[in-house]
Amino acid sequence: MVKYDEKNDALHLKSGNFTYDFKKNQIPFKKIILLNASMAGYISELEAENLVIGVSSPEYIYSEKIQNLIKEGKIQNVGNEQKYDVEKIISLRPDAIFTNHISSFDNTYQLLKNNGIQVIFLDEYMEQKPLEKTAYIKLFGKLLAKDQEAQTKYQEIEKNYNELKKLALKSKEKPTVLANEMYGDVWYLPGGKTSVANFIADANANYILNNNTDEKAVTMSFEEVFAKSNNVNIWVNAGNHHSKKEMLGMNAFYSKLNVFNKGKIYVITGKEKAQANDFFEGGIVRSDLVLKDYIKIFHPELLPNYQLTYMKELQ
């Protein structure tokens, strides 16, 4: 969980194992670098793209504004998760770098810090309650002089989310849901306390692992999933496949599942451009729209005029 408070002219921030103290003269940041595409979602929502001077792996960034600024040379490519271009980062002299902490990069982080660059580790991906992921927008608001906009955005998303959650309860039907897919011979199911499981519960559906208490993926064999999935009528987050046929090409076992033959399957390709997928960017912030997609999938009668944003039914 990220926590921050302001006192004695400083902003004190605690994120995971890391703590930071920013004096009033250090913020707001005017030049930032993002090393994770997910963080671009917060920046776009706050319309703060002009503060970004560098990104890593630009091919994974969905934001059109950021892509245009890269083309115009106003945002630089600073490498990727195999290797960051440390010299380039230092020469850009950012006020701050935002990234998830990856321990294998500790030497790189230290090098940047030695050069007077503020490296801020945020672990928004570890938050399992959808609105708590959204809430990071308030922190970005504080650090980028967009405090009011961030508060307003958060309140709006929170209000939508809670109203949608109430709406979902109006449905008498509660479909049974399967999620994720296999990699090799392992099925990585979202644990019963992960954000996916929370979304499914808030959308008033019954997830096959809802009694599980893990906040991370649970690994199962195909046989184990098969044994649990007899009553499943909807399968969500089934990767980014383009057709059922292609899916079977990857794994012929799927044809044994009831839901594959008789149910509905949804993939997360509603907003995808080449390698970039807005589900992992805008969708991190707009938890209300993700919830709305799930409600539309589970209870279409409750949202008759709504078109899916991030999800797509697989044919």
Side-chain angles (χ1 to χ4, degrees):
M1 241 333 247
V2 66
K3 293 186 172 60
Y4 56 88
D5 54 66
E6 291 171 282
K7 52 175 179 269
N8 311 337
D9 274 353
L11 176 70
H12 177 73
L13 164 65
K14 185 177 187 328
S15 175
N17 301 321
F18 300 94
T19 52
Y20 307 88
D21 283 294
F22 303 114
K23 296 186 177 60
K24 279 284 188 279
N25 61 356
Q26 287 175 290
I27 49 178
F29 300 133
K30 305 237 179 359
K31 297 196 302 184
I32 62 172
I33 289 178
L34 308 175
L35 299 183
N36 296 83
S38 60
M39 293 176 185
Y42 299 99
I43 300 300
S44 302
E45 217 34 67
L46 290 172
E47 297 183 2
E49 295 93 344
N50 60 324
L51 301 176
V52 180
I53 56 166
V55 295
S56 74
S57 305
E59 67 276 16
Y60 292 115
I61 292 181
Y62 184 86
S63 157
E64 206 168 313
K65 257 192 194 164
I66 290 180
Q67 288 296 353
N68 288 336
L69 290 166
I70 293 169
K71 283 192 194 93
E72 291 164 23
K74 293 182 178 145
I75 295 180
Q76 300 293 314
N77 176 358
V78 297
N80 57 44
E81 301 220 323
Q82 271 63 60
K83 192 176 189 321
Y84 296 126
D85 187 337
V86 176
E87 284 166 15
K88 195 176 207 178
I89 293 173
I90 292 168
S91 71
L92 286 168
R93 305 185 59 161
D95 297 332
I97 291 176
F98 290 96
T99 183
N100 299 147
H101 179 257
I102 302 169
S103 50
S104 58
F105 279 117
D106 279 340
N107 291 341
T108 306
Y109 301 143
Q110 197 50 55
L111 196 56
L112 293 168
K113 289 176 191 168
N114 294 348
N115 278 278
I117 295 172
Q118 181 72 61
V119 182
I120 302 172
F121 301 115
L122 295 181
D123 293 328
E124 84 297 329
Y125 67 96
M126 292 176 79
E127 303 290 351
Q128 301 304 341
K129 296 204 167 75
L131 282 171
E132 286 177 9
K133 268 192 180 38
T134 299
Y136 277 67
I137 196 169
K138 296 191 279 189
L139 174 64
F140 279 99
K142 286 254 178 270
L143 297 174
L144 305 176
K146 296 255 181 188
D147 207 7
Q148 203 40 60
E149 295 96 310
Q151 293 290 347
T152 306
K153 274 281 182 214
Y154 178 77
Q155 283 156 5
E156 187 186 307
I157 294 168
E158 181 185 44
K159 181 172 177 281
N160 290 347
Y161 194 98
N162 291 327
E163 283 172 2
L164 284 160
K165 201 171 149 178
K166 276 202 197 95
L167 175 70
L169 293 171
K170 292 190 170 160
S171 181
K172 303 285 172 277
E173 299 291 308
K174 224 179 170 177
T176 302
V177 180
L178 172 65
N180 289 18
E181 59 172 336
M182 293 188 81
Y183 289 94
D185 49 9
V186 179
W187 198 306
Y188 291 88
L189 289 144
K193 295 275 180 248
T194 56
S195 63
V196 175
N198 285 323
F199 271 124
I200 295 170
D202 289 349
N204 193 23
N206 184 24
Y207 176 45
I208 63 165
L209 287 192
N210 58 3
N211 295 327
N212 173 279
T213 55
D214 283 301
E215 286 198 353
K216 56 183 194 309
V218 177
T219 56
M220 286 193 180
S221 66
F222 178 80
E223 289 70 27
E224 289 174 287
V225 174
F226 180 78
K228 283 183 171 300
S229 66
N230 200 19
N231 302 325
V232 170
N233 31 19
I234 297 177
W235 178 357
V236 295
N237 294 44
N240 55 357
H241 299 285
H242 297 290
S243 68
K244 284 184 163 185
K245 192 178 162 197
E246 182 217 324
M247 221 174 158
L248 279 188
M250 303 276 286
N251 196 322
F253 281 133
Y254 290 152
S255 66
K256 296 190 161 91
L257 296 169
N258 263 347
V259 66
F260 188 87
N261 300 309
K262 300 192 188 109
K264 285 177 176 282
I265 303 177
Y266 291 86
V267 286
I268 46 177
T269 58
K271 290 184 82 175
E272 196 179 46
K273 282 189 284 209
Q275 289 169 275
N277 189 332
D278 200 33
F279 179 72
F280 302 109
E281 193 171 309
I284 301 287
V285 195
R286 294 303 305 267
S287 49
D288 55 339
L289 289 178
V290 175
L291 181 62
K292 202 169 187 179
D293 273 7
Y294 284 122
I295 294 172
K296 174 74 177 183
I297 289 168
F298 304 145
H299 314 290
E301 76 287 353
L302 296 178
L303 292 166
N305 304 319
Y306 175 65
Q307 301 291 319
L308 294 174
T309 302
Y310 303 108
M311 320 278 176
K312 206 182 206 171
E313 188 178 350
L314 203 59
Q315 302 300 335

